């Protein structure tokens, strides 16, 4: 089943830390989910589709290989441009959202996959920015079959509350672009 990618920009360094590391300031990653999950959350229109255009700088490097005859050779890879594509890394965090729909007396769940270096707080902010307010049940009533509970669980970990959308949008630790122009600007900033 196809997975859709959603672009997020985040900082890997706490703003209070000194000295500041410029390489950790503007990181870009993607979280992914199955198409049916994106349909349920109404976020399909915000997906990231890589252009294939080479738009990021890559440093040159030298690597050593052993040839078929057993001799060591050094291969020089020149610096150049590369395109950013969603990373399907096995080192990731699975985030579980509980829906109001039931199946055999238990609540159905949906899951998304985030990069492993994104913090729990950044995951909450990204989810709050992407998921429309109407999909999150924030009152004391139980959510309907088309809504989710206002919390998320990290697989093998704890459950955390989803921040309010207004709070997440004013935060500067996560950028969740909703249009192609905003995605392009985020990728340009992260070069």
């Amino acid at each position: 089943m196809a997975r859709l990618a959603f672009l997020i920009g985040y900082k890997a360094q706490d703003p209070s830390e000194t000295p500041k590391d410029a390489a950790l300031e503007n990181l870009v990653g993607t979280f992914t989910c199955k198409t049916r999950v994106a349909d349920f959350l109404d976020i399909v229109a915000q997906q990231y589709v890589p252009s294939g255009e080479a738009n990021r700088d890559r440093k040159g490097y030298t690597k050593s290989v052993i040839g078929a005859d057993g001799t060591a050779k050094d291969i020089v890879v020149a610096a150049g441009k590369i395109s950013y594509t969603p990373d399907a890394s096995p080192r990731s965090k699975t985030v579980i959202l509980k829906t109001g729909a039931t199946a055999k007396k238990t609540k159905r769940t949906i899951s998304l996959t985030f990069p492993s270096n994104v913090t729990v707080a950044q995951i909450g902010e990204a989810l709050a920015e992407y998921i429309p307010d109407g999909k999150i049940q924030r009152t004391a009533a139980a959510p309907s079959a088309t809504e989710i509970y206002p919390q998320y669980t990290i697989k093998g970990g704890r459950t955390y509350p989803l921040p309010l959308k207004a709070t997440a949008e004013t935060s500067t630790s996560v950028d969740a672009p909703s249009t192609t122009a905003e995605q392009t600007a985020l990728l340009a900033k992260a070069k």
Side-chain angles (χ1 to χ4, degrees), residues 92-96 110-114 123 152-156:
S92 60
K93 293 179 182 174
T94 300
V95 176
I96 301 166
I110 55 177
S111 63
L112 305 101
T113 305
F114 278 80
I123 289 171
Y152 62 99
T153 304
I154 305 290
K155 187 173 182 179

Side-chain angles (χ1 to χ4, degrees), residues 122-187:
Q122 290 170 335
I123 289 171
E125 286 183 26
L127 289 172
E129 284 191 47
Y130 269 108
I131 300 171
D133 275 337
K135 282 289 181 181
I136 304 170
Q137 175 60 290
R138 296 214 182 258
T139 64
S144 71
T146 61
E147 296 175 326
I148 63 170
Y149 283 87
Q151 59 198 19
Y152 62 99
T153 304
I154 305 290
K155 187 173 182 179
R158 296 177 35 195
T159 299
Y160 304 93
L162 276 171
L164 296 172
K165 190 175 197 77
T167 306
E169 287 177 344
T170 58
S171 170
T172 59
S173 66
V174 174
D175 290 329
S178 58
T179 64
T180 306
E182 289 175 358
Q183 291 172 354
T184 304
L186 179 61
L187 288 171

Side-chain angles (χ1 to χ4, degrees), residues 4 19-20 39 44 55 61 71 86 97 100 111-112 125 128 156 161 177 190:
L4 301 181
K20 296 224 179 278
D39 282 338
V44 174
N55 59 2
Y61 60 94
T71 60
L97 299 170
S111 63
L112 305 101
E125 286 183 26

